[in-house]
PDB file of all heavy atoms in Angstrom:
ATOM      1  N   SER A   1       0.855  -1.152   0.047  1.00 78.00           N
ATOM      2  CA  SER A   1      -0.044  -0.049  -0.023  1.00 78.00           C
ATOM      3  C   SER A   1       0.833   1.277  -0.022  1.00 78.00           C
ATOM      4  O   SER A   1       0.626   2.177  -0.759  1.00 78.00           O
ATOM      5  CB  SER A   1      -0.856  -0.020   1.270  1.00 78.00           C
ATOM      6  OG  SER A   1      -2.172   0.072   1.102  1.00 78.00           O
ATOM      7  N   VAL A   2       1.848   1.224   0.838  1.00 73.00           N
ATOM      8  CA  VAL A   2       2.785   2.372   0.918  1.00 73.00           C
ATOM      9  C   VAL A   2       3.520   2.582  -0.420  1.00 73.00           C
ATOM     10  O   VAL A   2       3.659   3.682  -0.977  1.00 73.00           O
ATOM     11  CB  VAL A   2       3.748   2.188   2.059  1.00 73.00           C
ATOM     12  CG1 VAL A   2       4.843   3.277   2.022  1.00 73.00           C
ATOM     13  CG2 VAL A   2       2.990   2.316   3.443  1.00 73.00           C
ATOM     14  N   ASN A   3       4.005   1.423  -0.930  1.00 78.00           N
ATOM     15  CA  ASN A   3       4.676   1.547  -2.247  1.00 78.00           C
ATOM     16  C   ASN A   3       3.748   2.015  -3.341  1.00 78.00           C
ATOM     17  O   ASN A   3       4.201   2.810  -4.220  1.00 78.00           O
ATOM     18  CB  ASN A   3       5.265   0.121  -2.600  1.00 78.00           C
ATOM     19  CG  ASN A   3       6.461  -0.215  -1.818  1.00 78.00           C
ATOM     20  OD1 ASN A   3       7.099   0.627  -1.277  1.00 78.00           O
ATOM     21  ND2 ASN A   3       6.754  -1.547  -1.648  1.00 78.00           N
ATOM     22  N   SER A   4       2.510   1.547  -3.318  1.00 82.00           N
ATOM     23  CA  SER A   4       1.608   1.934  -4.342  1.00 82.00           C
ATOM     24  C   SER A   4       1.304   3.418  -4.156  1.00 82.00           C
ATOM     25  O   SER A   4       1.225   4.152  -5.138  1.00 82.00           O
ATOM     26  CB  SER A   4       0.260   1.137  -4.119  1.00 82.00           C
ATOM     27  OG  SER A   4      -0.695   1.603  -4.994  1.00 82.00           O
ATOM     28  N   LEU A   5       1.125   3.911  -2.948  1.00 77.00           N
ATOM     29  CA  LEU A   5       0.934   5.293  -2.725  1.00 77.00           C
ATOM     30  C   LEU A   5       2.160   6.127  -3.168  1.00 77.00           C
ATOM     31  O   LEU A   5       2.039   7.196  -3.788  1.00 77.00           O
ATOM     32  CB  LEU A   5       0.566   5.593  -1.226  1.00 77.00           C
ATOM     33  CG  LEU A   5      -0.797   5.298  -0.727  1.00 77.00           C
ATOM     34  CD1 LEU A   5      -0.898   5.441   0.781  1.00 77.00           C
ATOM     35  CD2 LEU A   5      -1.797   6.178  -1.423  1.00 77.00           C
ATOM     36  N   ALA A   6       3.302   5.661  -2.880  1.00 80.00           N
ATOM     37  CA  ALA A   6       4.504   6.400  -3.239  1.00 80.00           C
ATOM     38  C   ALA A   6       4.694   6.408  -4.718  1.00 80.00           C
ATOM     39  O   ALA A   6       4.993   7.525  -5.326  1.00 80.00           O
ATOM     40  CB  ALA A   6       5.680   5.742  -2.591  1.00 80.00           C
ATOM     41  N   GLU A   7       4.317   5.336  -5.405  1.00 84.00           N
ATOM     42  CA  GLU A   7       4.430   5.283  -6.848  1.00 84.00           C
ATOM     43  C   GLU A   7       3.323   6.239  -7.497  1.00 84.00           C
ATOM     44  O   GLU A   7       3.657   6.942  -8.359  1.00 84.00           O
ATOM     45  CB  GLU A   7       4.225   3.862  -7.290  1.00 84.00           C
ATOM     46  CG  GLU A   7       4.514   3.691  -8.838  1.00 84.00           C
ATOM     47  CD  GLU A   7       4.399   2.240  -9.287  1.00 84.00           C
ATOM     48  OE1 GLU A   7       4.815   1.376  -8.478  1.00 84.00           O
ATOM     49  OE2 GLU A   7       3.892   2.047 -10.367  1.00 84.00           O
ATOM     50  N   ARG A   8       2.148   6.241  -6.869  1.00 85.00           N
ATOM     51  CA  ARG A   8       1.163   7.227  -7.416  1.00 85.00           C
ATOM     52  C   ARG A   8       1.577   8.647  -7.150  1.00 85.00           C
ATOM     53  O   ARG A   8       1.411   9.477  -8.035  1.00 85.00           O
ATOM     54  CB  ARG A   8      -0.203   6.893  -6.802  1.00 85.00           C
ATOM     55  CG  ARG A   8      -0.921   5.754  -7.506  1.00 85.00           C
ATOM     56  CD  ARG A   8      -2.322   5.625  -6.992  1.00 85.00           C
ATOM     57  NE  ARG A   8      -2.351   4.742  -5.838  1.00 85.00           N
ATOM     58  CZ  ARG A   8      -3.191   4.666  -4.935  1.00 85.00           C
ATOM     59  NH1 ARG A   8      -4.284   5.562  -5.018  1.00 85.00           N
ATOM     60  NH2 ARG A   8      -3.137   3.893  -3.952  1.00 85.00           N
ATOM     61  N   ALA A   9       2.136   8.914  -6.021  1.00 83.00           N
ATOM     62  CA  ALA A   9       2.642  10.220  -5.723  1.00 83.00           C
ATOM     63  C   ALA A   9       3.704  10.591  -6.669  1.00 83.00           C
ATOM     64  O   ALA A   9       3.787  11.748  -7.176  1.00 83.00           O
ATOM     65  CB  ALA A   9       3.053  10.338  -4.284  1.00 83.00           C
ATOM     66  N   SER A  10       4.630   9.654  -6.929  1.00 84.00           N
ATOM     67  CA  SER A  10       5.756   9.927  -7.822  1.00 84.00           C
ATOM     68  C   SER A  10       5.205  10.189  -9.280  1.00 84.00           C
ATOM     69  O   SER A  10       5.676  11.108  -9.945  1.00 84.00           O
ATOM     70  CB  SER A  10       6.724   8.771  -7.881  1.00 84.00           C
ATOM     71  OG  SER A  10       7.658   8.926  -8.840  1.00 84.00           O
ATOM     72  N   ASN A  11       4.249   9.406  -9.711  1.00 84.00           N
ATOM     73  CA  ASN A  11       3.636   9.606 -11.016  1.00 84.00           C
ATOM     74  C   ASN A  11       2.961  10.940 -11.102  1.00 84.00           C
ATOM     75  O   ASN A  11       3.050  11.682 -12.104  1.00 84.00           O
ATOM     76  CB  ASN A  11       2.651   8.422 -11.334  1.00 84.00           C
ATOM     77  CG  ASN A  11       3.433   7.137 -11.599  1.00 84.00           C
ATOM     78  OD1 ASN A  11       4.537   7.148 -11.925  1.00 84.00           O
ATOM     79  ND2 ASN A  11       2.700   6.077 -11.514  1.00 84.00           N
ATOM     80  N   SER A  12       2.208  11.283 -10.011  1.00 86.00           N
ATOM     81  CA  SER A  12       1.505  12.562 -10.035  1.00 86.00           C
ATOM     82  C   SER A  12       2.547  13.750 -10.082  1.00 86.00           C
ATOM     83  O   SER A  12       2.350  14.785 -10.817  1.00 86.00           O
ATOM     84  CB  SER A  12       0.722  12.694  -8.754  1.00 86.00           C
ATOM     85  OG  SER A  12      -0.356  11.866  -8.764  1.00 86.00           O
ATOM     86  N   ALA A  13       3.587  13.646  -9.409  1.00 84.00           N
ATOM     87  CA  ALA A  13       4.630  14.636  -9.368  1.00 84.00           C
ATOM     88  C   ALA A  13       5.298  14.822 -10.749  1.00 84.00           C
ATOM     89  O   ALA A  13       5.474  15.864 -11.281  1.00 84.00           O
ATOM     90  CB  ALA A  13       5.729  14.380  -8.307  1.00 84.00           C
ATOM     91  N   GLN A  14       5.597  13.612 -11.363  1.00 88.00           N
ATOM     92  CA  GLN A  14       6.041  13.606 -12.743  1.00 88.00           C
ATOM     93  C   GLN A  14       5.170  14.276 -13.765  1.00 88.00           C
ATOM     94  O   GLN A  14       5.477  15.112 -14.623  1.00 88.00           O
ATOM     95  CB  GLN A  14       6.466  12.239 -13.199  1.00 88.00           C
ATOM     96  CG  GLN A  14       7.718  11.662 -12.500  1.00 88.00           C
ATOM     97  CD  GLN A  14       8.028  10.207 -12.909  1.00 88.00           C
ATOM     98  OE1 GLN A  14       7.214   9.620 -13.566  1.00 88.00           O
ATOM     99  NE2 GLN A  14       9.218   9.781 -12.515  1.00 88.00           N
ATOM    100  N   ASP A  15       3.805  13.930 -13.574  1.00 85.00           N
ATOM    101  CA  ASP A  15       2.826  14.514 -14.473  1.00 85.00           C
ATOM    102  C   ASP A  15       2.711  16.107 -14.251  1.00 85.00           C
ATOM    103  O   ASP A  15       2.629  16.810 -15.191  1.00 85.00           O
ATOM    104  CB  ASP A  15       1.422  13.879 -14.243  1.00 85.00           C
ATOM    105  CG  ASP A  15       1.325  12.478 -14.711  1.00 85.00           C
ATOM    106  OD1 ASP A  15       2.196  12.030 -15.458  1.00 85.00           O
ATOM    107  OD2 ASP A  15       0.383  11.712 -14.277  1.00 85.00           O
ATOM    108  N   ALA A  16       2.877  16.456 -13.019  1.00 86.00           N
ATOM    109  CA  ALA A  16       2.795  17.942 -12.665  1.00 86.00           C
ATOM    110  C   ALA A  16       4.027  18.589 -13.320  1.00 86.00           C
ATOM    111  O   ALA A  16       3.870  19.731 -13.814  1.00 86.00           O
ATOM    112  CB  ALA A  16       2.783  18.150 -11.139  1.00 86.00           C
ATOM    113  N   ILE A  17       5.228  17.937 -13.140  1.00 89.00           N
ATOM    114  CA  ILE A  17       6.369  18.572 -13.754  1.00 89.00           C
ATOM    115  C   ILE A  17       6.279  18.666 -15.292  1.00 89.00           C
ATOM    116  O   ILE A  17       6.559  19.682 -15.851  1.00 89.00           O
ATOM    117  CB  ILE A  17       7.655  17.749 -13.333  1.00 89.00           C
ATOM    118  CG1 ILE A  17       7.943  17.890 -11.881  1.00 89.00           C
ATOM    119  CG2 ILE A  17       8.851  18.119 -14.179  1.00 89.00           C
ATOM    120  CD1 ILE A  17       8.980  16.973 -11.326  1.00 89.00           C
ATOM    121  N   LYS A  18       5.738  17.596 -15.942  1.00 88.00           N
ATOM    122  CA  LYS A  18       5.588  17.664 -17.365  1.00 88.00           C
ATOM    123  C   LYS A  18       4.592  18.712 -17.798  1.00 88.00           C
ATOM    124  O   LYS A  18       4.807  19.410 -18.758  1.00 88.00           O
ATOM    125  CB  LYS A  18       5.131  16.275 -17.905  1.00 88.00           C
ATOM    126  CG  LYS A  18       6.232  15.279 -17.887  1.00 88.00           C
ATOM    127  CD  LYS A  18       5.693  13.903 -18.352  1.00 88.00           C
ATOM    128  CE  LYS A  18       6.788  12.818 -18.288  1.00 88.00           C
ATOM    129  NZ  LYS A  18       6.334  11.478 -18.602  1.00 88.00           N
ATOM    130  N   SER A  19       3.520  18.835 -17.037  1.00 87.00           N
ATOM    131  CA  SER A  19       2.494  19.844 -17.314  1.00 87.00           C
ATOM    132  C   SER A  19       3.104  21.245 -17.145  1.00 87.00           C
ATOM    133  O   SER A  19       2.807  22.116 -17.957  1.00 87.00           O
ATOM    134  CB  SER A  19       1.291  19.620 -16.313  1.00 87.00           C
ATOM    135  OG  SER A  19       0.363  20.621 -16.513  1.00 87.00           O
ATOM    136  N   THR A  20       3.851  21.478 -16.053  1.00 89.00           N
ATOM    137  CA  THR A  20       4.468  22.719 -15.872  1.00 89.00           C
ATOM    138  C   THR A  20       5.522  23.057 -16.961  1.00 89.00           C
ATOM    139  O   THR A  20       5.541  24.188 -17.438  1.00 89.00           O
ATOM    140  CB  THR A  20       5.133  22.737 -14.436  1.00 89.00           C
ATOM    141  OG1 THR A  20       4.251  22.430 -13.463  1.00 89.00           O
ATOM    142  CG2 THR A  20       5.846  24.106 -14.172  1.00 89.00           C
ATOM    143  N   GLN A  21       6.288  22.056 -17.313  1.00 89.00           N
ATOM    144  CA  GLN A  21       7.240  22.247 -18.448  1.00 89.00           C
ATOM    145  C   GLN A  21       6.501  22.633 -19.721  1.00 89.00           C
ATOM    146  O   GLN A  21       6.973  23.488 -20.484  1.00 89.00           O
ATOM    147  CB  GLN A  21       8.065  20.993 -18.644  1.00 89.00           C
ATOM    148  CG  GLN A  21       9.165  20.799 -17.681  1.00 89.00           C
ATOM    149  CD  GLN A  21       9.891  19.450 -17.804  1.00 89.00           C
ATOM    150  OE1 GLN A  21       9.394  18.543 -18.451  1.00 89.00           O
ATOM    151  NE2 GLN A  21      11.087  19.404 -17.200  1.00 89.00           N
ATOM    152  N   GLY A  22       5.380  21.932 -20.037  1.00 87.00           N
ATOM    153  CA  GLY A  22       4.608  22.297 -21.156  1.00 87.00           C
ATOM    154  C   GLY A  22       4.067  23.685 -21.165  1.00 87.00           C
ATOM    155  O   GLY A  22       4.076  24.450 -22.149  1.00 87.00           O
ATOM    156  N   ALA A  23       3.561  24.100 -19.969  1.00 86.00           N
ATOM    157  CA  ALA A  23       3.045  25.453 -19.813  1.00 86.00           C
ATOM    158  C   ALA A  23       4.166  26.496 -19.929  1.00 86.00           C
ATOM    159  O   ALA A  23       3.984  27.508 -20.648  1.00 86.00           O
ATOM    160  CB  ALA A  23       2.401  25.645 -18.443  1.00 86.00           C
ATOM    161  N   VAL A  24       5.380  26.252 -19.396  1.00 87.00           N
ATOM    162  CA  VAL A  24       6.460  27.150 -19.561  1.00 87.00           C
ATOM    163  C   VAL A  24       6.881  27.254 -21.040  1.00 87.00           C
ATOM    164  O   VAL A  24       7.174  28.325 -21.517  1.00 87.00           O
ATOM    165  CB  VAL A  24       7.661  26.720 -18.591  1.00 87.00           C
ATOM    166  CG1 VAL A  24       8.951  27.401 -18.986  1.00 87.00           C
ATOM    167  CG2 VAL A  24       7.233  26.916 -17.174  1.00 87.00           C
ATOM    168  N   ASN A  25       6.977  26.089 -21.673  1.00 85.00           N
ATOM    169  CA  ASN A  25       7.368  26.054 -23.116  1.00 85.00           C
ATOM    170  C   ASN A  25       6.376  26.896 -23.916  1.00 85.00           C
ATOM    171  O   ASN A  25       6.681  27.632 -24.850  1.00 85.00           O
ATOM    172  CB  ASN A  25       7.543  24.642 -23.634  1.00 85.00           C
ATOM    173  CG  ASN A  25       8.773  24.004 -23.110  1.00 85.00           C
ATOM    174  OD1 ASN A  25       9.743  24.583 -22.710  1.00 85.00           O
ATOM    175  ND2 ASN A  25       8.705  22.661 -23.124  1.00 85.00           N
ATOM    176  N   ASP A  26       5.083  26.727 -23.647  1.00 84.00           N
ATOM    177  CA  ASP A  26       3.980  27.486 -24.396  1.00 84.00           C
ATOM    178  C   ASP A  26       4.160  28.984 -24.119  1.00 84.00           C
ATOM    179  O   ASP A  26       4.028  29.799 -25.054  1.00 84.00           O
ATOM    180  CB  ASP A  26       2.672  26.999 -23.921  1.00 84.00           C
ATOM    181  CG  ASP A  26       2.266  25.598 -24.443  1.00 84.00           C
ATOM    182  OD1 ASP A  26       3.031  25.068 -25.335  1.00 84.00           O
ATOM    183  OD2 ASP A  26       1.345  25.057 -23.975  1.00 84.00           O
ATOM    184  N   ALA A  27       4.427  29.311 -22.859  1.00 85.00           N
ATOM    185  CA  ALA A  27       4.618  30.714 -22.485  1.00 85.00           C
ATOM    186  C   ALA A  27       5.827  31.313 -23.240  1.00 85.00           C
ATOM    187  O   ALA A  27       5.827  32.432 -23.739  1.00 85.00           O
ATOM    188  CB  ALA A  27       4.783  30.927 -21.043  1.00 85.00           C
ATOM    189  N   LEU A  28       6.991  30.594 -23.230  1.00 86.00           N
ATOM    190  CA  LEU A  28       8.197  30.969 -23.968  1.00 86.00           C
ATOM    191  C   LEU A  28       7.936  31.133 -25.417  1.00 86.00           C
ATOM    192  O   LEU A  28       8.399  32.124 -26.039  1.00 86.00           O
ATOM    193  CB  LEU A  28       9.334  30.035 -23.613  1.00 86.00           C
ATOM    194  CG  LEU A  28       9.875  30.128 -22.251  1.00 86.00           C
ATOM    195  CD1 LEU A  28      10.961  29.115 -21.999  1.00 86.00           C
ATOM    196  CD2 LEU A  28      10.466  31.582 -21.921  1.00 86.00           C
ATOM    197  N   ASP A  29       7.228  30.146 -26.051  1.00 83.00           N
ATOM    198  CA  ASP A  29       6.829  30.279 -27.437  1.00 83.00           C
ATOM    199  C   ASP A  29       6.007  31.541 -27.738  1.00 83.00           C
ATOM    200  O   ASP A  29       6.281  32.285 -28.693  1.00 83.00           O
ATOM    201  CB  ASP A  29       6.144  29.033 -27.929  1.00 83.00           C
ATOM    202  CG  ASP A  29       7.020  27.844 -27.976  1.00 83.00           C
ATOM    203  OD1 ASP A  29       8.286  28.014 -27.999  1.00 83.00           O
ATOM    204  OD2 ASP A  29       6.489  26.705 -28.065  1.00 83.00           O
ATOM    205  N   SER A  30       5.120  31.814 -26.841  1.00 84.00           N
ATOM    206  CA  SER A  30       4.233  32.940 -27.051  1.00 84.00           C
ATOM    207  C   SER A  30       5.037  34.254 -26.931  1.00 84.00           C
ATOM    208  O   SER A  30       4.935  35.200 -27.730  1.00 84.00           O
ATOM    209  CB  SER A  30       3.145  32.963 -26.012  1.00 84.00           C
ATOM    210  OG  SER A  30       2.359  34.104 -26.053  1.00 84.00           O
ATOM    211  N   LEU A  31       5.885  34.247 -25.883  1.00 84.00           N
ATOM    212  CA  LEU A  31       6.776  35.449 -25.687  1.00 84.00           C
ATOM    213  C   LEU A  31       7.673  35.676 -26.844  1.00 84.00           C
ATOM    214  O   LEU A  31       7.884  36.798 -27.348  1.00 84.00           O
ATOM    215  CB  LEU A  31       7.550  35.284 -24.465  1.00 84.00           C
ATOM    216  CG  LEU A  31       8.520  36.392 -24.020  1.00 84.00           C
ATOM    217  CD1 LEU A  31       7.765  37.709 -23.809  1.00 84.00           C
ATOM    218  CD2 LEU A  31       9.342  36.051 -22.767  1.00 84.00           C
ATOM    219  N   SER A  32       8.280  34.572 -27.402  1.00 82.00           N
ATOM    220  CA  SER A  32       9.176  34.711 -28.497  1.00 82.00           C
ATOM    221  C   SER A  32       8.441  35.222 -29.653  1.00 82.00           C
ATOM    222  O   SER A  32       8.953  36.128 -30.477  1.00 82.00           O
ATOM    223  CB  SER A  32       9.768  33.254 -28.842  1.00 82.00           C
ATOM    224  OG  SER A  32      10.600  33.351 -29.955  1.00 82.00           O
ATOM    225  N   GLY A  33       7.213  34.788 -29.892  1.00 81.00           N
ATOM    226  CA  GLY A  33       6.441  35.228 -31.032  1.00 81.00           C
ATOM    227  C   GLY A  33       6.100  36.743 -30.898  1.00 81.00           C
ATOM    228  O   GLY A  33       6.172  37.541 -31.833  1.00 81.00           O
ATOM    229  N   SER A  34       5.862  37.204 -29.560  1.00 82.00           N
ATOM    230  CA  SER A  34       5.466  38.582 -29.351  1.00 82.00           C
ATOM    231  C   SER A  34       6.804  39.427 -29.661  1.00 82.00           C
ATOM    232  O   SER A  34       6.676  40.538 -30.240  1.00 82.00           O
ATOM    233  CB  SER A  34       5.083  38.780 -27.906  1.00 82.00           C
ATOM    234  OG  SER A  34       3.854  38.093 -27.692  1.00 82.00           O
ATOM    235  N   VAL A  35       7.864  38.932 -29.192  1.00 82.00           N
ATOM    236  CA  VAL A  35       9.152  39.739 -29.367  1.00 82.00           C
ATOM    237  C   VAL A  35       9.437  39.896 -30.853  1.00 82.00           C
ATOM    238  O   VAL A  35       9.789  40.922 -31.354  1.00 82.00           O
ATOM    239  CB  VAL A  35      10.320  39.124 -28.653  1.00 82.00           C
ATOM    240  CG1 VAL A  35      11.636  39.673 -29.124  1.00 82.00           C
ATOM    241  CG2 VAL A  35      10.125  39.224 -27.127  1.00 82.00           C
ATOM    242  N   GLN A  36       9.242  38.804 -31.642  1.00 82.00           N
ATOM    243  CA  GLN A  36       9.488  38.795 -33.015  1.00 82.00           C
ATOM    244  C   GLN A  36       8.474  39.815 -33.727  1.00 82.00           C
ATOM    245  O   GLN A  36       8.881  40.534 -34.647  1.00 82.00           O
ATOM    246  CB  GLN A  36       9.372  37.422 -33.675  1.00 82.00           C
ATOM    247  CG  GLN A  36       9.750  37.336 -35.098  1.00 82.00           C
ATOM    248  CD  GLN A  36      11.188  37.741 -35.432  1.00 82.00           C
ATOM    249  OE1 GLN A  36      12.052  37.389 -34.676  1.00 82.00           O
ATOM    250  NE2 GLN A  36      11.319  38.516 -36.510  1.00 82.00           N
ATOM    251  N   GLY A  37       7.181  39.783 -33.300  1.00 82.00           N
ATOM    252  CA  GLY A  37       6.236  40.628 -33.808  1.00 82.00           C
ATOM    253  C   GLY A  37       6.597  42.152 -33.588  1.00 82.00           C
ATOM    254  O   GLY A  37       6.524  42.947 -34.456  1.00 82.00           O
ATOM    255  N   ILE A  38       7.060  42.393 -32.371  1.00 84.00           N
ATOM    256  CA  ILE A  38       7.463  43.749 -32.001  1.00 84.00           C
ATOM    257  C   ILE A  38       8.647  44.167 -32.828  1.00 84.00           C
ATOM    258  O   ILE A  38       8.728  45.295 -33.408  1.00 84.00           O
ATOM    259  CB  ILE A  38       7.729  43.867 -30.535  1.00 84.00           C
ATOM    260  CG1 ILE A  38       6.432  43.738 -29.708  1.00 84.00           C
ATOM    261  CG2 ILE A  38       8.425  45.207 -30.184  1.00 84.00           C
ATOM    262  CD1 ILE A  38       6.712  43.669 -28.249  1.00 84.00           C
ATOM    263  N   ARG A  39       9.613  43.239 -33.041  1.00 82.00           N
ATOM    264  CA  ARG A  39      10.779  43.568 -33.848  1.00 82.00           C
ATOM    265  C   ARG A  39      10.389  43.852 -35.297  1.00 82.00           C
ATOM    266  O   ARG A  39      10.909  44.763 -35.906  1.00 82.00           O
ATOM    267  CB  ARG A  39      11.745  42.348 -33.799  1.00 82.00           C
ATOM    268  CG  ARG A  39      12.982  42.604 -34.587  1.00 82.00           C
ATOM    269  CD  ARG A  39      13.976  41.377 -34.428  1.00 82.00           C
ATOM    270  NE  ARG A  39      14.432  41.246 -33.066  1.00 82.00           N
ATOM    271  CZ  ARG A  39      14.698  40.074 -32.562  1.00 82.00           C
ATOM    272  NH1 ARG A  39      14.585  38.932 -33.244  1.00 82.00           N
ATOM    273  NH2 ARG A  39      15.046  39.943 -31.263  1.00 82.00           N
ATOM    274  N   ASP A  40       9.440  42.996 -35.790  1.00 83.00           N
ATOM    275  CA  ASP A  40       9.007  43.231 -37.170  1.00 83.00           C
ATOM    276  C   ASP A  40       8.306  44.549 -37.370  1.00 83.00           C
ATOM    277  O   ASP A  40       8.408  45.212 -38.392  1.00 83.00           O
ATOM    278  CB  ASP A  40       8.079  42.088 -37.626  1.00 83.00           C
ATOM    279  CG  ASP A  40       8.846  40.728 -37.745  1.00 83.00           C
ATOM    280  OD1 ASP A  40      10.061  40.764 -37.787  1.00 83.00           O
ATOM    281  OD2 ASP A  40       8.130  39.755 -37.793  1.00 83.00           O
ATOM    282  N   GLU A  41       7.535  44.982 -36.313  1.00 83.00           N
ATOM    283  CA  GLU A  41       6.807  46.263 -36.364  1.00 83.00           C
ATOM    284  C   GLU A  41       7.777  47.456 -36.238  1.00 83.00           C
ATOM    285  O   GLU A  41       7.597  48.504 -36.788  1.00 83.00           O
ATOM    286  CB  GLU A  41       5.748  46.306 -35.295  1.00 83.00           C
ATOM    287  CG  GLU A  41       4.569  45.394 -35.557  1.00 83.00           C
ATOM    288  CD  GLU A  41       3.579  45.505 -34.414  1.00 83.00           C
ATOM    289  OE1 GLU A  41       3.581  46.436 -33.554  1.00 83.00           O
ATOM    290  OE2 GLU A  41       2.741  44.522 -34.335  1.00 83.00           O
ATOM    291  N   ALA A  42       8.841  47.253 -35.467  1.00 83.00           N
ATOM    292  CA  ALA A  42       9.710  48.324 -35.162  1.00 83.00           C
ATOM    293  C   ALA A  42      10.717  48.585 -36.287  1.00 83.00           C
ATOM    294  O   ALA A  42      11.195  49.757 -36.494  1.00 83.00           O
ATOM    295  CB  ALA A  42      10.480  48.089 -33.839  1.00 83.00           C
ATOM    296  N   LYS A  43      11.054  47.597 -37.077  1.00 86.00           N
ATOM    297  CA  LYS A  43      12.009  47.729 -38.057  1.00 86.00           C
ATOM    298  C   LYS A  43      11.678  48.877 -39.106  1.00 86.00           C
ATOM    299  O   LYS A  43      12.555  49.689 -39.395  1.00 86.00           O
ATOM    300  CB  LYS A  43      12.250  46.386 -38.840  1.00 86.00           C
ATOM    301  CG  LYS A  43      13.380  46.456 -39.884  1.00 86.00           C
ATOM    302  CD  LYS A  43      13.627  45.127 -40.434  1.00 86.00           C
ATOM    303  CE  LYS A  43      14.739  45.102 -41.478  1.00 86.00           C
ATOM    304  NZ  LYS A  43      15.449  46.299 -41.877  1.00 86.00           N
ATOM    305  N   PRO A  44      10.475  48.949 -39.638  1.00 88.00           N
ATOM    306  CA  PRO A  44      10.181  50.085 -40.572  1.00 88.00           C
ATOM    307  C   PRO A  44      10.367  51.429 -39.906  1.00 88.00           C
ATOM    308  O   PRO A  44      10.812  52.383 -40.496  1.00 88.00           O
ATOM    309  CB  PRO A  44       8.738  49.780 -41.024  1.00 88.00           C
ATOM    310  CG  PRO A  44       8.434  48.407 -40.694  1.00 88.00           C
ATOM    311  CD  PRO A  44       9.377  48.036 -39.548  1.00 88.00           C
ATOM    312  N   VAL A  45       9.954  51.465 -38.654  1.00 87.00           N
ATOM    313  CA  VAL A  45      10.108  52.798 -37.961  1.00 87.00           C
ATOM    314  C   VAL A  45      11.579  53.169 -37.716  1.00 87.00           C
ATOM    315  O   VAL A  45      11.946  54.312 -38.014  1.00 87.00           O
ATOM    316  CB  VAL A  45       9.367  52.710 -36.556  1.00 87.00           C
ATOM    317  CG1 VAL A  45       9.582  54.004 -35.805  1.00 87.00           C
ATOM    318  CG2 VAL A  45       7.851  52.454 -36.744  1.00 87.00           C
ATOM    319  N   ILE A  46      12.389  52.199 -37.335  1.00 87.00           N
ATOM    320  CA  ILE A  46      13.722  52.444 -37.175  1.00 87.00           C
ATOM    321  C   ILE A  46      14.419  52.785 -38.545  1.00 87.00           C
ATOM    322  O   ILE A  46      15.263  53.743 -38.582  1.00 87.00           O
ATOM    323  CB  ILE A  46      14.487  51.205 -36.529  1.00 87.00           C
ATOM    324  CG1 ILE A  46      13.978  51.030 -35.111  1.00 87.00           C
ATOM    325  CG2 ILE A  46      15.978  51.341 -36.577  1.00 87.00           C
ATOM    326  CD1 ILE A  46      14.392  49.758 -34.479  1.00 87.00           C
TER     327      ILE A  46
END
């Protein structure tokens, strides 16, 4: 029972880490796209 609970907790933690990594990657992709968009808009002005 303890091993099963520990394994489920470990799996849950790994799922949470993967979910957090996915969210961070999505946020970084969005930020990168925003920066590129701003750079593209600023180039003609510069």
Side-chain angles (χ1 to χ4, degrees):
S1 238
V2 169
N3 286 338
S4 175
L5 280 174
E7 190 174 321
R8 278 190 271 156
S10 173
N11 288 340
S12 291
Q14 287 177 353
D15 289 344
I17 289 171
K18 287 179 183 176
S19 175
T20 302
Q21 285 175 339
V24 167
N25 286 338
D26 290 345
L28 288 174
D29 288 344
S30 175
L31 180 61
S32 175
S34 296
V35 167
Q36 186 60 41
I38 290 170
R39 184 180 293 148
D40 292 344
E41 288 178 19
K43 185 172 180 1
V45 174
I46 292 170

